C-alpha cells in the first residue's frame, strides 16, 4: 500500500535489476511509477501497486525522483534524449553500469536539462536489493542525495554517497571488484598449490580467510604511507626485497608442483621492477608508484 507521505519514485528499466529496485520501493510504501520497453515485465509490479506509465515522458512526469536502470548508457540516452525539457527540476539517479567518463558526461548532459544528477553503482545482485548488506555507491549532486537519501536507502543498507565528482561511484565499484578478483585469484591459486599435495580447498579455506586479517593490518599501514605523500614508505613490517625472496618461493613451488605460474610471475615481475626503481628497502606500499604510472609496464 503506497504511503503518500513518502517520495513518489519512477523506475525506468525493468530488467532483473530494475524489477528488484521497483519492488523494494513498493515494499517500503513509495508511490512507484514504472516504465519498460517490454511492458509485460511490469505485470507483477503492477499487481503489487505500481503504476505503469504508457511512455517514458509520462514516467518522468510522474515523480521528481527518477531512477534509471537499463543495460547501457546509450540505451538510457535513447530513452531520455527525446524528452528534452521533461527532466527539468527532477533528480535523475542513474544505476546503469558504465564508465566514470560516461558518468561525468551524463552529469553535464543532465545539468543542461535542468536535472540534478546522481550516478550510482550497485554492488549487489537483484535478490539482495533492499537488504542490510546491499552496497550502493552514489556520486554527483549532493542536493539530490540529501533530498532523497531516505528513499535511496530503501535499496540497500550500505547506501553511501562517495563525493560530488559523478565518476566516483564507478571508481569505487571497479576498485572493489579489483580487490575481489585479486583476492579470489590468489585464493584459487593457493588452493591449486595445496591440491597438488592432496589437501582440500575446504581445509585451506579457514587459513586463507584468517590470513586476510593480517592483510588488513598491512593495508592499514600502507594506506597511511600512501596518503602521507612523502614517498618514504618505511618498512615497518617487511622490505620489498624480503617480499621478493618469498615471491620467488611462491613462483618456484608453482613451477615444481605443476601449477599455473601466471599469477606469481606477475607478482614477481612487479616486485622486481619496484626493486629496480630503488625500493628494495621500502615497504610494499611503494608499489603504489608502479600502479600510478601507466608507463611502468
Ligand atoms: P537486464 O535484465 O538485461 O535488463 C536490461 C534492461 O535494459 C531492460 O529493462 C531492457 O528492456 C532494457 N533495454 C535494453 N536495451 C534496450 C533498448 N534498446 N531500449 C530500451 N530498453 C532497453 O539487465 P539487469 O540485470 O537488469 O541490469 C541492468 C543494469 O544494472 C546493467 O547496467 C547492469 O550492469 C546493472 N547491474 C546489474 C546487476 C545484476 O546483478 N543484475 C548488478 C549490478 C549492476 P527490455 O526488458 O525491454 O529488454
Amino acid at each position: 500500500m503506497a504511503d503518500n507521505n513518502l517520495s513518489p519514485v519512477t523506475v525506468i528499466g525493468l530488467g532483473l535489476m530494475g524489477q528488484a529496485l521497483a519492488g523494494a520501493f513498493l515494499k517500503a510504501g513509495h508511490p512507484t511509477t514504472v516504465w519498460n520497453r517490454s511492458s509485460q515485465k511490469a505485470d507483477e509490479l503492477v499487481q503489487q501497486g505500481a503504476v505503469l506509465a504508457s511512455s517514458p515522458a509520462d514516467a518522468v512526469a510522474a515523480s521528481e525522483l527518477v531512477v534509471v536502470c537499463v543495460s547501457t548508457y546509450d540505451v538510457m540516452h535513447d530513452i531520455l534524449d527525446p524528452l528534452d525539457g521533461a527532466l527539468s527540476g527532477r533528480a535523475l539517479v542513474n544505476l546503469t553500469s558504465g564508465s566514470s567518463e560516461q558518468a561525468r558526461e551524463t552529469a553535464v548532459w543532465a545539468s543542461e536539462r535542468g536535472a540534478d544528477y546522481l550516478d550510482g553503482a550497485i554492488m549487489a545482485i537483484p535478490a539482495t536489493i533492499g537488504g542490510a548488506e546491499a552496497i550502493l555507491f552514489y556520486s554527483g549532486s549532493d542536493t539530490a542525495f540529501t533530498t532523497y537519501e531516505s528513499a535511496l536507502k530503501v535499496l540497500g543498507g550500505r547506501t553511501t554517497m562517495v563525493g560530488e565528482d559523478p565518476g566516483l561511484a564507478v571508481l569505487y565499484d571497479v576498485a572493489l571488484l579489483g580487490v575481489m578478483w585479486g583476492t579470489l585469484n590468489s585464493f584459487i591459486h593457493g588452493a591449486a598449490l595445496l591440491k597438488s599435495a592432496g589437501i582440500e580447498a575446504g581445509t585451506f579455506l579457514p587459513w586463507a580467510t584468517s590470513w586476510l586479517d593480517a592483510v588488513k593490518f598491512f593495508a592499514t599501514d600502507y594506506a597511511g604511507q600512501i596518503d602521507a605523500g612523502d614517498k618514504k614508505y618505511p618498512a615497518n613490517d617487511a622490505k620489498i626485497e624480503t617480499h621478493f625472496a618469498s615471491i620467488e618461493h611462491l613462483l618456484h613451488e608453482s613451477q615444481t608442483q605443476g601449477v599455473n605460474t601466471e599469477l606469481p610471475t606477475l607478482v614477481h615481475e612487479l616486485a622486481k621492477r619496484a626493486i629496480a626503481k630503488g625500493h628494495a628497502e621500502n615497504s610494499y606500499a611503494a608499489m603504489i608508484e608502479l600502479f600510478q604510472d601507466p608507463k611502468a609496464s
Side-chain angles (χ1 to χ4, degrees):
M1 179 81 178
D3 178 343
N4 289 327
N5 294 317
L6 296 175
S7 309
V9 56
T10 286
V11 178
I12 293 179
L14 300 176
L16 292 170
M17 185 51 86
Q19 288 183 47
L21 302 173
F25 284 125
L26 280 168
K27 197 170 158 202
H30 286 269
T32 305
T33 300
V34 294
W35 182 85
N36 193 54
R37 173 180 64 173
S38 315
S39 59
Q40 76 279 5
K41 289 194 186 165
D43 289 351
E44 216 170 293
L45 294 162
V46 169
Q47 276 174 19
Q48 291 163 28
V51 173
L52 174 62
S54 57
S55 66
D58 286 350
V60 168
S63 320
E64 286 182 9
L65 173 59
V66 178
V67 175
V68 183
C69 186
V70 287
S71 42
T72 64
Y73 276 59
D74 285 346
V75 166
M76 183 210 69
H77 280 296
D78 285 348
I79 296 169
L80 296 183
D81 275 354
L83 306 191
D84 209 18
L87 287 170
S88 182
R90 261 98 187 111
L92 177 62
V93 177
N94 185 17
L95 291 171
T96 302
S97 300
S99 67
S100 57
E101 192 183 11
Q102 286 175 312
R104 288 172 183 143
E105 283 167 3
T106 307
V108 173
W109 169 92
S111 152
E112 286 165 359
R113 282 155 184 78
D116 276 337
Y117 183 74
L118 266 181
D119 201 273
I122 305 173
M123 300 211 61
I125 56 169
T128 59
I129 289 296
E133 292 306 316
I135 301 174
L136 287 96
F137 291 121
Y138 291 96
S139 54
S141 165
D142 228 355
T143 310
F145 186 78
T146 313
T147 308
Y148 295 108
E149 185 172 356
S150 58
L152 295 174
K153 285 199 161 155
V154 157
L155 302 178
R158 300 179 71 192
T159 288
T160 306
M161 176 70 176
V162 288
E164 292 200 81
D165 168 356
L168 282 178
V170 172
L171 292 178
Y172 270 88
D173 182 43
V174 293
L176 283 183
L177 291 174
V179 170
M180 177 182 79
W181 288 313
T183 309
L184 285 178
N185 283 329
S186 301
F187 168 67
I188 294 168
H189 179 266
L193 262 179
L194 284 162
K195 273 278 192 190
S196 74
I199 302 299
E200 294 293 286
T203 307
F204 174 49
L205 177 69
W207 291 104
T209 53
S210 66
W211 181 237
L212 290 178
D213 289 337
V215 175
K216 199 161 120 185
F217 177 79
F218 304 144
T220 304
D221 185 25
Y222 300 163
Q225 293 189 19
I226 291 165
D227 289 344
D230 55 11
K231 298 182 184 271
K232 288 191 175 148
Y233 315 116
N236 298 327
D237 45 35
K239 300 173 198 158
I240 288 193
E241 65 183 5
T242 309
H243 281 277
F244 186 70
S246 300
I247 294 165
E248 290 207 305
H249 293 150
L250 176 67
L251 184 56
H252 171 75
E253 290 301 340
S254 302
Q255 284 158 345
T256 56
Q257 296 298 124
V259 163
N260 185 302
T261 56
E262 285 168 283
L263 189 58
T265 300
L266 172 66
V267 179
H268 186 258
E269 177 61 25
L270 289 170
K272 195 163 85 181
R273 277 194 232 141
I275 290 169
K277 272 173 75 77
H279 293 300
E281 303 274 317
N282 291 142
S283 80
Y284 208 78
M287 299 293 270
I288 187 70
E289 295 194 9
L290 293 186
F291 287 106
Q292 281 181 324
D293 179 3
K295 295 191 288 302
S297 56

